[in-house]
Amino acid sequence: MRRALGILGCCLALLLPAARGSPAPRPGAAADAACKNRPLDLVFIIDSSRSVRTEEFEKVKIFLSKMIDTLDVGERATRVAVMNYASTVKVEFPLRTYFDKASMKEAISHIEPLSAGTMTGLAIQTAMDEVFTEEMGTRPANFNIPKVVIIVTDGRPQDQVQDVAASAQAAGIEIYAVGVDRADMQSLRMMASDPLDEHVFYVETYGVIEKLTSKFRETFCAVDMCAPGRHDCDQVCVSNNRSYSCECYEGYTLNPDKKTCSGMDMCAPGRHDCGQICLSNDGSYSCDCYEGYTLNTDRKTCSAADMCAPGRHDCEQVCVRDDLFYTCDCYQGYTLNPDRKTCSRTDVCAPGMHECEQVCVNNDGSYTCDCYEGFTLNPDEKTCSRATTSSLVTTEESCKCEAIAALQDSVTSHLEALSTKIDEVSQKLQAYQERQQVV
């Protein structure tokens, strides 16, 4: 019954063809299988109670030697310790003793069984107290070297293993439980780490225990899952012990399939540091500014542009800046054309353009005022007044004036006398005509 539970409940039932008469492996084959495993502080705890026969115990030692052949052993690589237990516990050698495979295997070959009891809980506690210490060769916690225990047993523990195993796991120790023949499957599951299907193994006899070597090699070897052909990542493969995950280059995001990548919208809110405008460009971006602003030397922020700077406007004469815009103007004597850009000389004497009362005189962009004949320009240089004869005249001019006046009077008198005579003659003629009509 116990054997049936083991076959159903654990991840291995290594009754391989090789166990039923396959050729023995060639010498050195285990060493060829060595791999660059991740560094470990690895402790083997082997059951040597009375139920383990001498020839079976020798097979356990062969299993340990083959396991060592698969490991990358060394002071800076994997360190190995071996513990032997029955009703008592013996540390055969701690982690600090050997750093080469030959010395380890030589020490293992001399281990003798203790032959009484099965105090598995005590063995685990001893590993915590006496082996997994810096004094005994365990590397400091900040080195992040995994602490691993592999327990090999064929019986049922005679003490409580569940609590002490839980304490060991809480202290960061990973426990693998290997059951052989009569081993109690429930006890194996109590002491092993989660997930149980990766930490509980069972074989029917010690004769095939060495077949577990390949399983542990697969577990401990640092396989490069990101080697070409091993993964299906579109861009970046990140190896993670025996698995991998995919990532993307900067500027790309991982698609929901967790394998392929798509160009990231670098101009999405929160992804860029442009002051005004972000221009996305296939996984990257550049900054720009609104009209009326220029990009600063940091290539991110913007400043209001001088719209009247040379080359920024199309005014012919004068540019007038108005916040972020501009208008055009002209010099004095010129007016802005309908295109609001160019200028033409102003007709300063056009109606409404000057202040002269009578005559405006255009003078190349400016003007002066004048008056009609008989008028004089007033001191304001704009209005006019009728001219007056000056009283300051010479004697000759005065005599000429008097003679002219006397002549004018004489002519007037003669004209008046002549007019009177004409009237008299006209009256006499009219009277004569009337008399002739009567006759």
Side-chain angles (χ1 to χ4, degrees), residues 329-362:
D329 203 352
C330 300
Y331 302 133
Q332 185 176 2
Y334 291 81
T335 55
L336 195 64
N337 293 327
D339 62 8
R340 313 305 297 170
K341 299 175 183 179
T342 59
C343 299
S344 297
R345 187 175 295 279
T346 305
D347 180 6
V348 293
C349 285
M353 297 294 293
H354 63 90
E355 297 175 315
C356 296
E357 183 180 24
Q358 292 184 0
V359 180
C360 175
V361 181
N362 197 324

Side-chain angles (χ1 to χ4, degrees), residues 2 45-52 84-89 114-124 151-161 164 178 180 182-184 187-188 191 206:
R2 191 178 298 162
I45 301 177
I46 56 175
D47 179 1
S48 64
S49 61
R50 188 177 294 110
S51 61
V52 182
N84 183 11
Y85 81 98
S87 57
T88 60
V89 179
L114 300 176
S115 299
T118 310
M119 304 297 287
T120 310
L122 177 62
I124 297 173
I151 301 173
V152 181
T153 181
D154 73 341
R156 179 192 297 272
Q158 295 175 342
D159 56 1
Q160 296 296 320
V161 297
V164 68
V178 177
V180 184
R182 299 168 296 276
D184 178 58
S187 299
L188 295 177
M191 67 180 78
Y206 282 102

Side-chain angles (χ1 to χ4, degrees), residues 112-408:
E112 297 293 334
L114 300 176
S115 299
T118 310
M119 304 297 287
T120 310
L122 177 62
I124 297 173
Q125 187 65 54
T126 303
M128 286 193 291
D129 296 341
E130 300 181 16
V131 179
F132 284 114
T133 65
E134 291 187 30
E135 292 78 11
M136 290 293 104
T138 301
R139 281 162 285 193
N142 61 355
F143 280 35
N144 294 317
I145 305 297
K147 295 190 285 288
V148 179
V149 164
I150 298 177
I151 301 173
V152 181
T153 181
D154 73 341
R156 179 192 297 272
Q158 295 175 342
D159 56 1
Q160 296 296 320
V161 297
Q162 187 171 8
D163 291 343
V164 68
S167 297
Q169 293 169 30
I173 299 172
E174 185 177 8
I175 300 177
Y176 291 85
V178 177
V180 184
D181 193 12
R182 299 168 296 276
D184 178 58
M185 186 58 63
Q186 184 176 359
S187 299
L188 295 177
R189 296 171 68 86
M190 284 182 181
M191 67 180 78
S193 298
D194 289 326
L196 295 178
D197 60 352
E198 295 182 10
H199 291 82
V200 178
F201 305 121
Y202 176 84
V203 291
E204 288 195 330
T205 68
Y206 282 102
V208 295
I209 189 172
E210 66 185 70
K211 300 301 179 181
L212 287 176
T213 303
S214 61
K215 181 63 179 178
F216 279 110
R217 181 182 183 279
E218 180 184 331
T219 299
F220 295 147
C221 280
V223 178
D224 184 6
M225 300 302 294
C226 287
R230 286 186 176 271
H231 68 91
D232 51 4
C233 294
D234 184 26
Q235 292 186 357
V236 180
C237 175
V238 180
S239 184
N240 183 19
N241 194 13
R242 284 171 288 162
S243 64
Y244 69 92
S245 59
C246 299
E247 292 184 0
C248 300
Y249 302 133
E250 185 177 359
Y252 292 81
T253 55
L254 195 63
N255 293 327
D257 62 8
K258 300 300 183 183
K259 298 176 183 179
T260 58
C261 300
S262 297
M264 186 184 301
D265 180 7
M266 299 301 295
C267 287
R271 288 190 182 276
H272 67 90
D273 51 5
C274 295
Q276 292 186 358
I277 299 174
C278 176
L279 303 175
S280 185
N281 183 21
D282 190 25
S284 64
Y285 70 94
S286 60
C287 299
D288 202 352
C289 301
Y290 302 134
E291 185 178 359
Y293 290 83
T294 55
L295 195 63
N296 294 327
T297 54
D298 61 8
R299 312 304 299 171
K300 299 176 182 179
T301 58
C302 299
S303 296
D306 181 4
M307 300 304 295
C308 286
R312 287 190 175 274
H313 66 91
D314 50 5
C315 296
E316 183 181 22
Q317 292 187 359
V318 180
C319 176
V320 180
R321 181 177 171 179
D322 181 17
D323 194 15
L324 300 180
F325 305 96
Y326 70 92
T327 56
C328 298
D329 203 352
C330 300
Y331 302 133
Q332 185 176 2
Y334 291 81
T335 55
L336 195 64
N337 293 327
D339 62 8
R340 313 305 297 170
K341 299 175 183 179
T342 59
C343 299
S344 297
R345 187 175 295 279
T346 305
D347 180 6
V348 293
C349 285
M353 297 294 293
H354 63 90
E355 297 175 315
C356 296
E357 183 180 24
Q358 292 184 0
V359 180
C360 175
V361 181
N362 197 324
N363 186 20
D364 192 23
S366 63
Y367 69 92
T368 56
C369 296
D370 203 351
C371 299
Y372 303 135
E373 187 176 357
F375 290 83
T376 57
L377 192 64
N378 292 328
D380 61 9
E381 303 290 333
K382 298 176 182 178
T383 58
C384 298
S385 297
R386 187 177 295 275
T388 56
T389 303
S390 174
S391 59
L392 299 176
V393 295
T394 64
T395 303
E396 183 180 357
E397 290 174 340
S398 177
C399 291
K400 287 180 181 179
C401 289
E402 290 176 357
I404 291 171
L407 179 59
Q408 289 176 342

